[in-house]
Structures are given as structure tokens and as C-alpha cells.
Amino acid sequence: MPSVHSARVFQMACAALLALALSSMSAGATSRIKDLANIEGVRQNQLIGYGLVVGLNGTGDTLNNIPFTKQSLQAMLERMGVNIRGATIR
């Protein structure tokens, strides 16, 4: 009977090793925190805009006398994929 008992112990040891090997393998279904949770204040769509301030006639800046206005408008349009380098802006 000792050979039957050792065969049974060997089978149990092999089954335990197989179970251990299978449990240590990654399941392949990983999840990211950002896919499972919503963070308050975070938006999916990106908002882009350009402000316009109005006031007294003739008191504001124009594209001709203030170069920063033209540069900031060009930079915003280029970030949106519109190339206006070399074009006349009015």
C-alpha cells in the first residue's frame, strides 16, 4: 500500500503546483482607475475660447498697433489646426 499512498501524495502535490501556477498568471483583464471613477470638476471635452472686451469707440487695441493681440490670436488658431502665418488678418 505504500506505493498507492505515495502516488496519491504525488498527484495531490502536482495538483497543488498546477493550481498555484494558474493562480499566479495574470488574468489579463486589468482596469484603470480613470475608467472606473469620475473625478468631480474634470471634463471630457476641452473648452477653447478667445475673449472680446468692448468699450468706448476708438479706445481698444487693434491688430495693427498692438503686436501681442495678433500673436495671441495666431497662437490660438494654430493650436486649433488653422495656419494663418503670412496671411493678412483684419
Side-chain angles (χ1 to χ4, degrees), residues 7 10-11 15 27 29 50 69 87:
F10 180 72
Q11 287 176 349
Y50 196 84
T69 304

Side-chain angles (χ1 to χ4, degrees), residues 31-39:
S31 298
R32 298 180 299 181
I33 292 176
K34 72 177 194 174
D35 294 335
L36 302 174
N38 290 326
I39 300 172

Side-chain angles (χ1 to χ4, degrees), residues 2-64:
S3 63
V4 173
H5 180 64
S6 16
R8 183 104 170 123
V9 169
F10 180 72
Q11 287 176 349
M12 292 297 280
C14 287
L17 286 175
L18 180 62
L20 181 65
L22 290 176
S23 68
S24 67
M25 294 173 56
S26 67
T30 57
S31 298
R32 298 180 299 181
I33 292 176
K34 72 177 194 174
D35 294 335
L36 302 174
N38 290 326
I39 300 172
E40 187 174 337
V42 176
R43 300 177 60 109
Q44 294 296 325
N45 58 338
Q46 190 175 32
L47 300 178
I48 300 173
Y50 196 84
L52 173 67
V53 178
V54 296
L56 297 175
N57 192 17
T59 60
D61 58 348
T62 65
L63 292 176
N64 297 328

